[in-house]
Amino acid sequence: MKKLFFVLTFIIFCALTTSVSEAGVCDPYKQMPDLKFSTSYGKLKYDTSYSRRQLTTLGEQFGILEQGLFASGLATVNVAYQLSVSTVSHRATDSVICVVPKIVNIYIGYQEPTIYLAKELKKDSCEYNVVLRHEQTHQQINISALEYFIPQLRKAAVSVIGNAEPLEIKDSKDFDAATQQFVKRYTRQLEPLINFFKTELLKEQGKLDNRNNYKMEDNLCKYYHAHE
């Protein structure tokens, strides 16, 4: 068995340089954007095409397998984070256009959750069922952790987007660049919280992946076979 590994994906848009209005000319247009959250746990897949040796190699490649251990199963998932912003513009003066965020869409969820079971495992055997349960527990930890994290991310997002000042541009051709600047700003401010979530999730998964737990699971089947 092993430690869960993650792919954390950020959608970040590069932007042209814009500036926050210093004279306060855009202050009258400041408003709290509409925050919209979405999430997905992904569709769980099962894969029994890999041998123990192949799963062990895979685990070692990702650094998720302790030295000297062999993998009978793996649980993997991609953690995806996406943020997009819809903005509106207001003509403040002849030379100033104010760009204001109207809607902020945030997605945090999982993609391609997969449980790998070594093909040497005989279906419905004690060993198969123990490994299956272990990997299912990993995926359940993912779900519980995300459900706990989303309210925290939402609270942080409300604070971040509520404090954002309108952006001042000189020409309407810079409207898209200003919009992307909001995306970049919000993403940069929320990224530390996303990374914290990743770290805490790894810690929770690590509580399941340790030699004592592996030994206990192994003894379950030894006891089962001894009393068949």
Side-chain angles (χ1 to χ4, degrees), residues 35-132:
L35 179 60
K36 296 185 177 181
F37 257 86
S38 60
T39 188
S40 172
Y41 300 114
K43 184 177 181 180
L44 182 60
K45 297 180 181 180
Y46 292 85
D47 190 326
T48 59
S49 64
Y50 288 80
S51 66
R52 282 194 180 95
R53 182 181 296 275
Q54 290 172 318
L55 290 181
T56 299
T57 299
L58 182 62
E60 290 174 347
Q61 288 175 348
F62 283 92
I64 57 177
L65 193 66
E66 291 186 38
Q67 189 67 30
L69 296 179
F70 294 91
S72 294
L74 290 174
T76 66
V77 69
N78 297 334
V79 180
Y81 167 70
Q82 300 176 3
L83 187 149
S84 63
V85 181
S86 297
T87 57
V88 294
S89 63
H90 302 277
R91 171 67 69 174
T93 68
D94 290 342
S95 60
V96 176
I97 299 174
C98 302
V99 181
V100 182
K102 184 178 181 180
I103 301 174
V104 177
N105 295 289
I106 296 178
Y107 168 85
I108 177 73
Y110 299 130
Q111 296 177 348
E112 300 180 353
T114 305
I115 288 177
Y116 296 90
L117 299 170
K119 61 184 179 182
E120 292 92 341
L121 293 172
K122 184 178 179 181
K123 189 173 182 180
D124 295 329
S125 66
C126 178
E127 290 76 11
Y128 178 95
N129 290 332
V130 168
V131 174
L132 175 61

Side-chain angles (χ1 to χ4, degrees), residues 13 15 54 59 76 88-89 109 125 138 152 169 174 183 208 217 228:
F13 300 91
Q54 290 172 318
T76 66
V88 294
S89 63
S125 66
H138 272 304
Q152 300 181 58
I169 60 176
D174 293 327
V183 174
L208 187 62
E217 291 176 344
E228 282 185 305

